[in-house]
Amino acid sequence: MRRFVAGLVVSMVGLFAACSSEPAAETGALLTLYGDIQESNRGPLDPLTEPLFNSFGLEVGEGFAVSAAQLARLPQHIVRTDFPAGSEIREFRGPLLRDVIALGVPSGELAVVTALDGYQREIALGRIQAHDVILATQMNGEPLPMGGFGPAMLVWPRQSDPALADMSDDDWLWGVIAIELR
Ligand SMILES: Nc1nc2c(c(=O)[nH]1)N[C@H]1C(S)=C(S)[C@@H](COP(=O)(O)O)O[C@H]1N2
Ligand SMILES: [Mo]
């Protein structure tokens, strides 16, 4: 009995340790904000351990690493729309891009968004404020996969926001990994 109780205590401690491993997951960045931001939780780029940022020449000084858990805790929005343009309607879900960017407390007026294939777009913060563009992390109820649109994708509500009705797919970045504020 005593051995059983001891075993139970050990496994409960193990369970507690497993549960409390959340902070470690918190530090893994799904997305890195950098540039003109007033909030930071990480230091400058380490070329040896951040080869993709390094090869893209991203000038990460102080940065703000946003975890998947942090994105999931922001208010979630659903955008039903076609992507690529003209294809079937799919349901994208994730936080508003402006809420994500606000985590870093930006002071500039431009977001430079980088995807994992090196594709990059400059998007005025004014447009991000004016339109309910989301940083989607899910499509049709499933997390966005790597090799598909993952880990995250900019999705604009062009079906419901008349000002976006005719927009091209240029600013619909899939594979988003970093956003510089300028
Ligand atoms: N990461 C990433 N996102 C992207 C692109 C890209 O090359 N890389 N191309 C954009 C453009 S111009 C279009 S038309 C659509 C479809 O591009 P694709 O055929 O390269 O996916 O995705 C948009 N998002
Ligand atoms: Mo395009």
Side-chain angles (χ1 to χ4, degrees):
M1 180 65 182
R2 183 170 293 170
R3 184 173 294 174
F4 171 75
V5 171
L8 193 66
V9 167
V10 167
S11 54
M12 282 178 73
V13 167
L15 190 67
F16 181 77
C19 291
S20 67
S21 69
E22 226 234 324
E26 277 292 294
T27 62
L30 183 140
L31 172 77
T32 300
L33 304 174
Y34 66 103
D36 293 337
I37 55 174
Q38 292 162 54
E39 189 73 29
S40 73
N41 63 6
R42 55 152 290 163
L45 174 85
D46 176 4
L48 297 180
T49 60
E50 298 182 293
L52 205 52
F53 287 173
N54 187 46
S55 67
F56 292 159
L58 304 192
E59 291 172 2
V60 180
E62 300 279 286
F64 191 91
V66 184
S67 68
Q70 217 165 355
L71 288 179
R73 280 197 301 270
L74 292 173
Q76 301 292 302
H77 289 250
I78 286 175
V79 175
R80 291 183 186 83
T81 188
D82 55 321
F83 180 84
S87 68
E88 70 189 77
I89 301 293
R90 298 174 223 272
E91 183 181 280
F92 295 89
R93 184 175 188 271
L96 290 170
L97 180 58
R98 57 175 170 271
D99 289 349
V100 176
I101 286 173
L103 293 171
V105 192
S107 45
E109 45 201 50
L110 194 65
V112 183
V113 185
T114 299
L116 45 69
D117 60 341
Y119 184 71
Q120 205 169 56
R121 297 287 296 175
E122 290 187 0
I123 302 175
L125 291 187
R127 281 182 68 212
I128 294 167
Q129 294 296 339
H131 304 289
D132 291 341
V133 50
I134 65 169
L135 183 71
T137 57
Q138 291 185 23
M139 182 176 75
N140 295 340
E142 300 286 341
L144 294 181
M146 302 295 285
F149 296 151
M153 176 178 174
L154 297 199
V155 173
W156 301 76
R158 65 176 153 204
Q159 298 289 328
S160 57
D161 183 338
L164 303 177
D166 298 324
M167 83 182 292
S168 75
D169 285 351
D170 296 11
D171 289 339
W172 297 57
L173 291 85
W174 42 262
V176 171
I177 54 170
I179 302 179
E180 178 185 4
L181 287 311
R182 277 186 199 158

